[in-house]
Amino acid sequence: MSIALIVFLPLLGALLAPLAIRYGRNACAATAGAASLAAFALLMSHLPGVYAGEVVRQEAAWIPQLGLSFAFFVDGLGFFFATLILGIGLLIIVYARYYLARQDPMGRFYAYLLLFQSAMLGIALSDNALIFLVFWEMTSLSSFLLIGYWRHLPEGRQGARMALAVTGGGGLALIAGMLLLGEAAGTYAISEIIQRGEIIQASPLYVPALLLILVGAFTKSAQFPFHFWLPHAMAAPTPVSAYLHSATMVKAGVFLLARFWPALAGTDIWFLIVTPVGLVTMVIGAFIAIFKHDLKALLAYSTVSNLGMMTMLLGFGTPLGVVIAMFQVLNHATFKAALFMSAGIVDHEAGTRDIRKLGGLIRLMPIASVLALIAAASMAGLPLLNGFLSKEMMLEAAVHTEIAGIPYLVPTLATLGALFSVAYSLRLAWFGYLGPTRESYPHHPHDPPAGMWGPVALLVGLVVAIGLVPPIAGPVLARTSMAVLQTDTLPYYSLAIWHGVTPALFMSITAIVVGATMVALYRSLSTAHAALPHPEAKAMFDRTIAAIVALARGVTGRTQTGSLQLYAGIIVAAIVAVGLVAFLQGGHAPGAREMLPVNTPAIVAWAVLIAVSGVVVFAHVSRLITLVLTSVVGLIVSVAFLQFSAPDLALTQISVEVVTTILLLLALNLLPRRSEPERSAAARWGSGAIAVVAGLGVAYLAYAVMTRDVSSISEYHVALSKPGGGGTNIVNVILVDFRGFDTFGEIIVLGIAALAIFAMLDSALRGASARRLAEMLPSRRSGDAHPMPLVVATRVILPLAITVGVFIFLRGHNQPGGGFIAGLVVAIALIMQYIASGYDWAAARARYNPHAMIGAGVLIAGATGLGSFFFGAPFLTSSYDYFHIPLVGEVELATAIAFDLGVFLTVVGVVLLALFQISRVEHKADRTPVPAGPYEPPYDRQAAPRVVEPARDKEA
Amino acid sequence: MELLLASGIGVLTAAGIYLVCRAQTFPVIIGLAFLTYAVNVFLFAMGRLAIDAPPIYDAAVKTYTDPLPQALVLTAIVISFGMTALIVVLALRGFLESGDDGVQANEGGESEGGRTS
């Protein structure tokens, strides 16, 4: 998986860089650089193959049924973008080392930056549309983190939120679009999708898929009308702006359009959406850039404009458009990253980025200024630099493009865009670097360390080299374009400085002359511009967000009244309504299954149940009576289980009944003893009516089902219980073997519930609830806290009860019993000690830790399940055998008993933890010492191991 | 017998729902307990009723009651203990924290919606 390694090496670096900061800033930067460099070297190992026209593909299946696999591939396009990402990334890593101030947390910076790098490489190299989406979202998230890197700056936080809202929202659209595209293409492999253009474009899903994907691409690449987030993202540290918001991330949208170009482009709808959007973005971005005073804002709008140009070129839908777009990607990445880094140098040295306060920098910091001027000239599209080449080719292509039947529209607007570019570039150059020297700089600017201008110089070197000797970019451009177009033949184009006297030449000359004039007349232009309306995108965005929040709050306020009574009523009423509709529509006659004969005990039990339920409903105000009567119901239920051949259920029900009653008694000790009678008769009668209807419905449903015949799947379980699971108690075998995974999940849920209880009550010993406890408890002390007979009886019973528990556990596989029931029995035996002898006494003697029991239980159950992997069987496969143990005889042991042990431990732990916690809250009131009996040796409290009670006990 | 069980389930359900719709914590907890009984017995009854046919395998025995609903209900009983305990503690903590045993959100107090601003 060497390609995947390219993607994941930076991720590794993201983990290591924050650790390396302990050894200093250089170590941190070096770690980040080493991760990038390793990935870069690995990428370069694919260079010969890619340039021989190979496509290397590597895949590891993940969920093949969903078309999801870890698939990566390198072709010309992926290689080109990955090279940009890693190459510029390395320069940025060096630059940032010198850019970041001493107080900036550098480890965090490099971690975010490498996280972004990894995500971006994932976009460039993944061969699965679903994995691609994951990386896409990762770039949005890491961009959010990087923009908000200076957390103390409000602009940073706001800009980060805005970028996340826009690109994240577009990402959601992209997910939907990608799923539709995969559906239309019949595959999620990107390398396959791009070869199925005809199938896709014939599919009815094509248009919705295209629209959604375009929203994703346009938001990411800041196309009009989603362009506004990019300038606000400039609150990020400048290395981030240079890397994410000019060279790489914003080009992800362009990459998306290029990658899926063969699948999506070439239709009318593609042309009619993508070209105008790109064109409008190019002109508007360039126009706004002219009048921006902040260097980075100017560059940001210039980036918007350039991205618009690339989008427009891809929108043409012609192979030549693709070639020029890719050339512009390369050229823009070089000169714009150089310019952003230069802006960072200016900020760093002059203490301001405001063009109105700058001037004459060329005399103060000559090296940095010359580099910036060359890059700016390239941005303006002046000859002998690479920006000139792609701009000329773009203008030439525009001449041959006609939109909506208007012949001169595209070339005119393209020239306008080029003209504005000249204007803002010259303004930057003239007012920033040339012009008169200012004396008002906060500190004296001079050339920065080579670590800062070095990366700029490298990029400017490329700018000049390509500008002077255009063919050196030839192979890269050809290979990349072939990969985009999925062909081996490219349209005719020539990489040359001089193309003869062409329309494009005149358009270029016009642009340069008029652009220069505009800069010369800048003052009057600026006054005129100030009179124009300035739609403020941020204000509009904020208003939209505020409106959405207000709407959501309104809906919530109206629907969420906070009345559980109302919610419960609505939920039940809705269920009853659905049930009624079904009842009235479907057949509901009872079946002809023969009923069991009624016997007298059953009638008595039934009558008691009805009577008790009635009393509870009408007398629920008195809580203690309610509780007692409820446990009567529980008893009847367990008797019913026993009667109808479910001994395991009867045992479980009766032990749970005991535990629940103790729990509720404990809680009732702290809660009010009586409920307030309800005043609203409407509420009582309303809920009463719903309850009666629901009760009738459920009763009838149960009756109708029970009188019909059934064919159950359990014959399988019955037949295989002994030969397959090694036990004769079929219910237990189902629990620990056939459906062991369910049981495993259930004990985890139990454990989580117990931990939640622990957490909820642990903090009850502080704050408001602690004060209320302190007020309340003295009044609730009982007369005889520890009656002697109870104390004696429980202590005598304890060993017996535990023996019974062990017995029930051991026989569970073959006779009624098992981990659940045994756990409850043992827990009850232990809890009895607390009830009889008090919390202090019992807790001091408890040599077990319920937390550890829950953890151990889940781990043992899980390990038993994993154990079956060693025998090549699926998770939780049970096996058993017979062993001969001296004195005991022939014994059958199943691995399931280890699983059941896990269940047992978890249940004991959960019950104990829940009840301990409640009694711990109460025990402050209850410090009456246990009567010392003749059997009671003096107990040394200090020497006793106190596992359950940590030191907090004393503070409470 | 089926009729007795079915009507028993119905009564438990009705009592449970009525109590769940009350305005204070303890009746709600008891109501949930009633509903739990009703649901467990209902689920159990889906395997049909049989007397003296426990699902304990024996070569000599030919008929067993359906073991699958029993296995499902067994875990359901234990899980519902966990749920009851959690709700009880929730109610307890709520009462200790606010001194109010009701299940309404406090009028005019901080509601969930208002806290986000």
Side-chain angles (χ1 to χ4, degrees), chain A residues 562 565 606 623 645 657 678 708 712 714 728 760 763 772, chain B residues 7 21-22 24 37 48 50 57 66 70 75 93 96 101 105:
Chain A
Q565 247 182 319
W606 179 81
R623 294 183 167 186
S645 317
E657 208 49 52
E678 273 176 62
R708 294 180 185 192
S712 169
S714 334
T728 56
M760 226 171 339
S763 53
R772 208 175 307 277
Chain B
S7 55
C21 292
R22 303 282 51 86
Q24 280 157 85
Y37 294 137
R48 309 300 186 270
Y57 181 81
D66 195 339
Q70 294 199 11
T75 46
R93 181 73 202 272
L96 290 178
D101 187 38

PDB file of all heavy atoms in Angstrom, chain A residues 562 565 606 623 645 657 678 708 712 714 728 760 763 772, chain B residues 7 21-22 24 37 48 50 57 66 70 75 93 96 101 105:
ATOM      1  N   GLY A 562     -41.127  21.426  27.404  1.00  0.00           N
ATOM      2  CA  GLY A 562     -40.488  20.974  28.636  1.00  0.00           C
ATOM      3  C   GLY A 562     -41.418  20.171  29.517  1.00  0.00           C
ATOM      4  O   GLY A 562     -41.076  19.852  30.644  1.00  0.00           O
ATOM      5  N   GLN A 565     -45.116  15.272  30.727  1.00  0.00           N
ATOM      6  CA  GLN A 565     -46.488  14.791  30.681  1.00  0.00           C
ATOM      7  C   GLN A 565     -47.055  14.899  29.280  1.00  0.00           C
ATOM      8  O   GLN A 565     -47.644  13.963  28.749  1.00  0.00           O
ATOM      9  CB  GLN A 565     -47.331  15.668  31.608  1.00  0.00           C
ATOM     10  CG  GLN A 565     -47.842  14.947  32.798  1.00  0.00           C
ATOM     11  CD  GLN A 565     -48.693  15.861  33.638  1.00  0.00           C
ATOM     12  OE1 GLN A 565     -48.369  17.037  33.838  1.00  0.00           O
ATOM     13  NE2 GLN A 565     -49.780  15.331  34.144  1.00  0.00           N
ATOM     14  N   TRP A 606     -54.836 -13.571  38.942  1.00  0.00           N
ATOM     15  CA  TRP A 606     -55.350 -12.566  38.016  1.00  0.00           C
ATOM     16  C   TRP A 606     -56.139 -11.507  38.767  1.00  0.00           C
ATOM     17  O   TRP A 606     -55.954 -10.298  38.565  1.00  0.00           O
ATOM     18  CB  TRP A 606     -56.230 -13.271  36.979  1.00  0.00           C
ATOM     19  CG  TRP A 606     -56.849 -12.355  35.977  1.00  0.00           C
ATOM     20  CD1 TRP A 606     -56.280 -11.840  34.866  1.00  0.00           C
ATOM     21  CD2 TRP A 606     -58.189 -11.855  36.012  1.00  0.00           C
ATOM     22  NE1 TRP A 606     -57.158 -11.059  34.199  1.00  0.00           N
ATOM     23  CE2 TRP A 606     -58.357 -11.038  34.880  1.00  0.00           C
ATOM     24  CE3 TRP A 606     -59.271 -12.017  36.888  1.00  0.00           C
ATOM     25  CZ2 TRP A 606     -59.543 -10.386  34.586  1.00  0.00           C
ATOM     26  CZ3 TRP A 606     -60.465 -11.358  36.602  1.00  0.00           C
ATOM     27  CH2 TRP A 606     -60.601 -10.553  35.456  1.00  0.00           C
ATOM     28  N   ARG A 623     -46.576   7.020  48.189  1.00  0.00           N
ATOM     29  CA  ARG A 623     -45.547   6.361  47.405  1.00  0.00           C
ATOM     30  C   ARG A 623     -45.123   5.014  47.970  1.00  0.00           C
ATOM     31  O   ARG A 623     -44.848   4.081  47.225  1.00  0.00           O
ATOM     32  CB  ARG A 623     -44.343   7.283  47.272  1.00  0.00           C
ATOM     33  CG  ARG A 623     -44.698   8.514  46.458  1.00  0.00           C
ATOM     34  CD  ARG A 623     -43.531   9.422  46.237  1.00  0.00           C
ATOM     35  NE  ARG A 623     -43.877  10.406  45.208  1.00  0.00           N
ATOM     36  CZ  ARG A 623     -43.007  11.275  44.711  1.00  0.00           C
ATOM     37  NH1 ARG A 623     -41.776  11.283  45.156  1.00  0.00           N
ATOM     38  NH2 ARG A 623     -43.379  12.110  43.784  1.00  0.00           N
ATOM     39  N   SER A 645     -44.106 -22.480  32.034  1.00  0.00           N
ATOM     40  CA  SER A 645     -42.903 -23.197  31.608  1.00  0.00           C
ATOM     41  C   SER A 645     -41.709 -22.287  31.329  1.00  0.00           C
ATOM     42  O   SER A 645     -40.992 -22.484  30.365  1.00  0.00           O
ATOM     43  CB  SER A 645     -43.167 -24.026  30.354  1.00  0.00           C
ATOM     44  OG  SER A 645     -44.375 -24.679  30.431  1.00  0.00           O
ATOM     45  N   GLU A 657     -36.821  -8.268  41.001  1.00  0.00           N
ATOM     46  CA  GLU A 657     -37.840  -7.623  41.816  1.00  0.00           C
ATOM     47  C   GLU A 657     -37.255  -7.183  43.149  1.00  0.00           C
ATOM     48  O   GLU A 657     -37.482  -6.064  43.610  1.00  0.00           O
ATOM     49  CB  GLU A 657     -38.966  -8.640  42.029  1.00  0.00           C
ATOM     50  CG  GLU A 657     -40.302  -8.036  42.234  1.00  0.00           C
ATOM     51  CD  GLU A 657     -40.626  -7.012  41.191  1.00  0.00           C
ATOM     52  OE1 GLU A 657     -40.523  -7.312  39.986  1.00  0.00           O
ATOM     53  OE2 GLU A 657     -40.955  -5.883  41.578  1.00  0.00           O
ATOM     54  N   GLU A 678     -52.835  15.757  41.665  1.00  0.00           N
ATOM     55  CA  GLU A 678     -52.886  16.667  40.524  1.00  0.00           C
ATOM     56  C   GLU A 678     -54.180  17.435  40.490  1.00  0.00           C
ATOM     57  O   GLU A 678     -55.245  16.886  40.721  1.00  0.00           O
ATOM     58  CB  GLU A 678     -52.707  15.877  39.226  1.00  0.00           C
ATOM     59  CG  GLU A 678     -51.246  15.724  38.886  1.00  0.00           C
ATOM     60  CD  GLU A 678     -51.059  14.863  37.665  1.00  0.00           C
ATOM     61  OE1 GLU A 678     -51.551  15.265  36.605  1.00  0.00           O
ATOM     62  OE2 GLU A 678     -50.447  13.802  37.787  1.00  0.00           O
ATOM     63  N   ARG A 708     -53.593 -17.800  17.865  1.00  0.00           N
ATOM     64  CA  ARG A 708     -53.226 -18.283  16.539  1.00  0.00           C
ATOM     65  C   ARG A 708     -52.069 -19.264  16.663  1.00  0.00           C
ATOM     66  O   ARG A 708     -51.297 -19.214  17.619  1.00  0.00           O
ATOM     67  CB  ARG A 708     -52.808 -17.115  15.640  1.00  0.00           C
ATOM     68  CG  ARG A 708     -53.954 -16.197  15.346  1.00  0.00           C
ATOM     69  CD  ARG A 708     -53.521 -15.066  14.470  1.00  0.00           C
ATOM     70  NE  ARG A 708     -54.629 -14.121  14.309  1.00  0.00           N
ATOM     71  CZ  ARG A 708     -54.637 -13.145  13.413  1.00  0.00           C
ATOM     72  NH1 ARG A 708     -53.600 -12.996  12.620  1.00  0.00           N
ATOM     73  NH2 ARG A 708     -55.655 -12.340  13.323  1.00  0.00           N
ATOM     74  N   SER A 712     -42.258 -21.442  14.785  1.00  0.00           N
ATOM     75  CA  SER A 712     -41.152 -20.663  15.339  1.00  0.00           C
ATOM     76  C   SER A 712     -39.830 -21.129  14.747  1.00  0.00           C
ATOM     77  O   SER A 712     -39.707 -22.278  14.292  1.00  0.00           O
ATOM     78  CB  SER A 712     -41.128 -20.836  16.857  1.00  0.00           C
ATOM     79  OG  SER A 712     -39.939 -20.314  17.368  1.00  0.00           O
ATOM     80  N   SER A 714     -37.420 -21.521  16.569  1.00  0.00           N
ATOM     81  CA  SER A 714     -36.665 -22.079  17.690  1.00  0.00           C
ATOM     82  C   SER A 714     -36.383 -23.567  17.550  1.00  0.00           C
ATOM     83  O   SER A 714     -35.597 -24.088  18.330  1.00  0.00           O
ATOM     84  CB  SER A 714     -37.400 -21.883  19.003  1.00  0.00           C
ATOM     85  OG  SER A 714     -38.224 -20.790  18.932  1.00  0.00           O
ATOM     86  N   THR A 728     -28.163 -28.273  28.109  1.00  0.00           N
ATOM     87  CA  THR A 728     -29.555 -28.687  27.935  1.00  0.00           C
ATOM     88  C   THR A 728     -30.519 -27.566  28.281  1.00  0.00           C
ATOM     89  O   THR A 728     -31.688 -27.647  27.943  1.00  0.00           O
ATOM     90  CB  THR A 728     -29.879 -29.906  28.811  1.00  0.00           C
ATOM     91  OG1 THR A 728     -29.571 -29.589  30.167  1.00  0.00           O
ATOM     92  CG2 THR A 728     -29.070 -31.108  28.366  1.00  0.00           C
ATOM     93  N   MET A 760     -23.622  10.378  37.824  1.00  0.00           N
ATOM     94  CA  MET A 760     -24.677  11.312  38.179  1.00  0.00           C
ATOM     95  C   MET A 760     -24.736  11.542  39.688  1.00  0.00           C
ATOM     96  O   MET A 760     -25.021  12.646  40.142  1.00  0.00           O
ATOM     97  CB  MET A 760     -26.010  10.770  37.684  1.00  0.00           C
ATOM     98  CG  MET A 760     -26.805  11.825  37.001  1.00  0.00           C
ATOM     99  SD  MET A 760     -28.281  11.271  36.167  1.00  0.00           S
ATOM    100  CE  MET A 760     -28.163   9.603  35.853  1.00  0.00           C
ATOM    101  N   SER A 763     -21.322  13.380  41.594  1.00  0.00           N
ATOM    102  CA  SER A 763     -21.256  14.833  41.698  1.00  0.00           C
ATOM    103  C   SER A 763     -22.389  15.383  42.551  1.00  0.00           C
ATOM    104  O   SER A 763     -22.446  16.583  42.795  1.00  0.00           O
ATOM    105  CB  SER A 763     -21.290  15.444  40.301  1.00  0.00           C
ATOM    106  OG  SER A 763     -22.396  14.953  39.597  1.00  0.00           O
ATOM    107  N   ARG A 772     -28.756  20.488  49.923  1.00  0.00           N
ATOM    108  CA  ARG A 772     -30.104  20.006  50.182  1.00  0.00           C
ATOM    109  C   ARG A 772     -30.061  18.701  50.978  1.00  0.00           C
ATOM    110  O   ARG A 772     -30.863  18.487  51.893  1.00  0.00           O
ATOM    111  CB  ARG A 772     -30.833  19.791  48.863  1.00  0.00           C
ATOM    112  CG  ARG A 772     -32.339  19.942  48.980  1.00  0.00           C
ATOM    113  CD  ARG A 772     -32.994  19.848  47.624  1.00  0.00           C
ATOM    114  NE  ARG A 772     -32.417  20.782  46.667  1.00  0.00           N
ATOM    115  CZ  ARG A 772     -32.768  22.051  46.568  1.00  0.00           C
ATOM    116  NH1 ARG A 772     -33.684  22.533  47.357  1.00  0.00           N
ATOM    117  NH2 ARG A 772     -32.197  22.828  45.680  1.00  0.00           N
TER     118      ARG A 772
ATOM    119  N   SER B   7     -55.805 -10.108  29.279  1.00  0.00           N
ATOM    120  CA  SER B   7     -56.423  -8.999  30.008  1.00  0.00           C
ATOM    121  C   SER B   7     -55.460  -8.457  31.057  1.00  0.00           C
ATOM    122  O   SER B   7     -55.404  -7.246  31.303  1.00  0.00           O
ATOM    123  CB  SER B   7     -57.729  -9.458  30.650  1.00  0.00           C
ATOM    124  OG  SER B   7     -57.480 -10.595  31.454  1.00  0.00           O
ATOM    125  N   CYS B  21     -47.926   9.254  32.532  1.00  0.00           N
ATOM    126  CA  CYS B  21     -48.382  10.605  32.184  1.00  0.00           C
ATOM    127  C   CYS B  21     -48.591  11.498  33.406  1.00  0.00           C
ATOM    128  O   CYS B  21     -49.180  12.572  33.286  1.00  0.00           O
ATOM    129  CB  CYS B  21     -49.673  10.533  31.371  1.00  0.00           C
ATOM    130  SG  CYS B  21     -49.429   9.818  29.752  1.00  0.00           S
ATOM    131  N   ARG B  22     -48.139  11.094  34.580  1.00  0.00           N
ATOM    132  CA  ARG B  22     -48.299  11.947  35.758  1.00  0.00           C
ATOM    133  C   ARG B  22     -47.189  12.998  35.826  1.00  0.00           C
ATOM    134  O   ARG B  22     -46.188  12.904  35.124  1.00  0.00           O
ATOM    135  CB  ARG B  22     -48.334  11.118  37.052  1.00  0.00           C
ATOM    136  CG  ARG B  22     -49.422  10.063  37.061  1.00  0.00           C
ATOM    137  CD  ARG B  22     -50.849  10.570  37.346  1.00  0.00           C
ATOM    138  NE  ARG B  22     -51.388  11.666  36.599  1.00  0.00           N
ATOM    139  CZ  ARG B  22     -52.004  11.553  35.415  1.00  0.00           C
ATOM    140  NH1 ARG B  22     -52.090  10.410  34.806  1.00  0.00           N
ATOM    141  NH2 ARG B  22     -52.514  12.601  34.842  1.00  0.00           N
ATOM    142  N   GLN B  24     -45.251  13.931  38.424  1.00  0.00           N
ATOM    143  CA  GLN B  24     -44.114  13.843  39.334  1.00  0.00           C
ATOM    144  C   GLN B  24     -43.298  12.583  39.091  1.00  0.00           C
ATOM    145  O   GLN B  24     -43.771  11.635  38.464  1.00  0.00           O
ATOM    146  CB  GLN B  24     -44.620  13.888  40.771  1.00  0.00           C
ATOM    147  CG  GLN B  24     -44.909  15.320  41.171  1.00  0.00           C
ATOM    148  CD  GLN B  24     -45.884  15.358  42.310  1.00  0.00           C
ATOM    149  OE1 GLN B  24     -45.490  15.249  43.445  1.00  0.00           O
ATOM    150  NE2 GLN B  24     -47.151  15.480  41.984  1.00  0.00           N
ATOM    151  N   TYR B  37     -43.355  -4.635  32.904  1.00  0.00           N
ATOM    152  CA  TYR B  37     -44.012  -5.923  33.110  1.00  0.00           C
ATOM    153  C   TYR B  37     -44.863  -6.278  31.905  1.00  0.00           C
ATOM    154  O   TYR B  37     -44.803  -7.399  31.381  1.00  0.00           O
ATOM    155  CB  TYR B  37     -44.950  -5.875  34.336  1.00  0.00           C
ATOM    156  CG  TYR B  37     -44.272  -5.683  35.667  1.00  0.00           C
ATOM    157  CD1 TYR B  37     -44.788  -4.818  36.613  1.00  0.00           C
ATOM    158  CD2 TYR B  37     -43.129  -6.404  35.982  1.00  0.00           C
ATOM    159  CE1 TYR B  37     -44.188  -4.652  37.845  1.00  0.00           C
ATOM    160  CE2 TYR B  37     -42.522  -6.243  37.214  1.00  0.00           C
ATOM    161  CZ  TYR B  37     -43.049  -5.366  38.141  1.00  0.00           C
ATOM    162  OH  TYR B  37     -42.459  -5.220  39.343  1.00  0.00           O
ATOM    163  N   ARG B  48     -46.412 -18.246  22.656  1.00  0.00           N
ATOM    164  CA  ARG B  48     -47.596 -19.026  23.031  1.00  0.00           C
ATOM    165  C   ARG B  48     -47.406 -19.648  24.414  1.00  0.00           C
ATOM    166  O   ARG B  48     -46.286 -19.814  24.894  1.00  0.00           O
ATOM    167  CB  ARG B  48     -47.930 -20.134  22.021  1.00  0.00           C
ATOM    168  CG  ARG B  48     -48.022 -19.681  20.574  1.00  0.00           C
ATOM    169  CD  ARG B  48     -49.108 -18.623  20.401  1.00  0.00           C
ATOM    170  NE  ARG B  48     -49.270 -18.297  18.980  1.00  0.00           N
ATOM    171  CZ  ARG B  48     -48.590 -17.322  18.345  1.00  0.00           C
ATOM    172  NH1 ARG B  48     -47.723 -16.606  19.020  1.00  0.00           N
ATOM    173  NH2 ARG B  48     -48.790 -17.091  17.068  1.00  0.00           N
ATOM    174  N   ALA B  50     -47.655 -22.547  27.302  1.00  0.00           N
ATOM    175  CA  ALA B  50     -47.607 -24.004  27.459  1.00  0.00           C
ATOM    176  C   ALA B  50     -47.332 -24.287  28.925  1.00  0.00           C
ATOM    177  O   ALA B  50     -46.594 -23.548  29.595  1.00  0.00           O
ATOM    178  CB  ALA B  50     -46.517 -24.597  26.590  1.00  0.00           C
ATOM    179  N   TYR B  57     -33.614 -29.358  27.618  1.00  0.00           N
ATOM    180  CA  TYR B  57     -33.538 -30.467  26.682  1.00  0.00           C
ATOM    181  C   TYR B  57     -33.424 -31.808  27.414  1.00  0.00           C
ATOM    182  O   TYR B  57     -32.673 -31.941  28.378  1.00  0.00           O
ATOM    183  CB  TYR B  57     -32.328 -30.293  25.764  1.00  0.00           C
ATOM    184  CG  TYR B  57     -32.202 -31.388  24.744  1.00  0.00           C
ATOM    185  CD1 TYR B  57     -32.962 -31.344  23.577  1.00  0.00           C
ATOM    186  CD2 TYR B  57     -31.354 -32.473  24.952  1.00  0.00           C
ATOM    187  CE1 TYR B  57     -32.865 -32.342  22.632  1.00  0.00           C
ATOM    188  CE2 TYR B  57     -31.257 -33.481  24.019  1.00  0.00           C
ATOM    189  CZ  TYR B  57     -32.015 -33.422  22.865  1.00  0.00           C
ATOM    190  OH  TYR B  57     -31.925 -34.413  21.941  1.00  0.00           O
ATOM    191  N   ASP B  66     -41.551 -22.437  23.394  1.00  0.00           N
ATOM    192  CA  ASP B  66     -40.594 -21.709  22.553  1.00  0.00           C
ATOM    193  C   ASP B  66     -39.520 -21.037  23.421  1.00  0.00           C
ATOM    194  O   ASP B  66     -39.829 -20.163  24.239  1.00  0.00           O
ATOM    195  CB  ASP B  66     -41.367 -20.650  21.760  1.00  0.00           C
ATOM    196  CG  ASP B  66     -40.539 -20.124  20.619  1.00  0.00           C
ATOM    197  OD1 ASP B  66     -39.304 -20.258  20.686  1.00  0.00           O
ATOM    198  OD2 ASP B  66     -41.120 -19.575  19.668  1.00  0.00           O
ATOM    199  N   GLN B  70     -38.211 -16.451  25.507  1.00  0.00           N
ATOM    200  CA  GLN B  70     -37.745 -16.475  26.895  1.00  0.00           C
ATOM    201  C   GLN B  70     -36.350 -15.874  27.014  1.00  0.00           C
ATOM    202  O   GLN B  70     -36.066 -15.096  27.926  1.00  0.00           O
ATOM    203  CB  GLN B  70     -37.718 -17.911  27.412  1.00  0.00           C
ATOM    204  CG  GLN B  70     -39.091 -18.517  27.503  1.00  0.00           C
ATOM    205  CD  GLN B  70     -39.110 -19.721  28.419  1.00  0.00           C
ATOM    206  OE1 GLN B  70     -38.151 -19.966  29.136  1.00  0.00           O
ATOM    207  NE2 GLN B  70     -40.196 -20.465  28.396  1.00  0.00           N
ATOM    208  N   THR B  75     -33.049 -11.214  29.090  1.00  0.00           N
ATOM    209  CA  THR B  75     -32.156 -10.054  29.066  1.00  0.00           C
ATOM    210  C   THR B  75     -32.943  -8.774  29.224  1.00  0.00           C
ATOM    211  O   THR B  75     -32.472  -7.822  29.826  1.00  0.00           O
ATOM    212  CB  THR B  75     -31.339 -10.014  27.772  1.00  0.00           C
ATOM    213  OG1 THR B  75     -32.215 -10.258  26.686  1.00  0.00           O
ATOM    214  CG2 THR B  75     -30.248 -11.043  27.774  1.00  0.00           C
ATOM    215  N   ARG B  93     -31.405  12.865  41.400  1.00  0.00           N
ATOM    216  CA  ARG B  93     -30.457  13.964  41.233  1.00  0.00           C
ATOM    217  C   ARG B  93     -31.196  15.244  40.892  1.00  0.00           C
ATOM    218  O   ARG B  93     -30.872  16.330  41.396  1.00  0.00           O
ATOM    219  CB  ARG B  93     -29.465  13.610  40.115  1.00  0.00           C
ATOM    220  CG  ARG B  93     -28.415  14.663  39.870  1.00  0.00           C
ATOM    221  CD  ARG B  93     -27.416  14.671  40.993  1.00  0.00           C
ATOM    222  NE  ARG B  93     -26.713  15.926  41.108  1.00  0.00           N
ATOM    223  CZ  ARG B  93     -25.595  16.206  40.448  1.00  0.00           C
ATOM    224  NH1 ARG B  93     -25.058  15.314  39.651  1.00  0.00           N
ATOM    225  NH2 ARG B  93     -25.007  17.360  40.607  1.00  0.00           N
ATOM    226  N   LEU B  96     -32.664  16.542  44.069  1.00  0.00           N
ATOM    227  CA  LEU B  96     -31.641  17.092  44.967  1.00  0.00           C
ATOM    228  C   LEU B  96     -31.125  18.428  44.442  1.00  0.00           C
ATOM    229  O   LEU B  96     -30.828  19.342  45.202  1.00  0.00           O
ATOM    230  CB  LEU B  96     -30.482  16.111  45.107  1.00  0.00           C
ATOM    231  CG  LEU B  96     -30.779  14.831  45.885  1.00  0.00           C
ATOM    232  CD1 LEU B  96     -29.562  13.936  45.894  1.00  0.00           C
ATOM    233  CD2 LEU B  96     -31.205  15.161  47.298  1.00  0.00           C
ATOM    234  N   ASP B 101     -39.779  18.004  42.483  1.00  0.00           N
ATOM    235  CA  ASP B 101     -39.960  16.612  42.124  1.00  0.00           C
ATOM    236  C   ASP B 101     -40.796  16.464  40.854  1.00  0.00           C
ATOM    237  O   ASP B 101     -41.143  15.370  40.450  1.00  0.00           O
ATOM    238  CB  ASP B 101     -40.635  15.886  43.304  1.00  0.00           C
ATOM    239  CG  ASP B 101     -40.701  14.394  43.084  1.00  0.00           C
ATOM    240  OD1 ASP B 101     -39.724  13.860  42.530  1.00  0.00           O
ATOM    241  OD2 ASP B 101     -41.723  13.797  43.433  1.00  0.00           O
ATOM    242  N   ALA B 105     -40.318  21.164  32.801  1.00  0.00           N
ATOM    243  CA  ALA B 105     -39.215  22.121  32.852  1.00  0.00           C
ATOM    244  C   ALA B 105     -39.731  23.342  33.609  1.00  0.00           C
ATOM    245  O   ALA B 105     -40.896  23.671  33.531  1.00  0.00           O
ATOM    246  CB  ALA B 105     -38.800  22.509  31.445  1.00  0.00           C
TER     247      ALA B 105
END
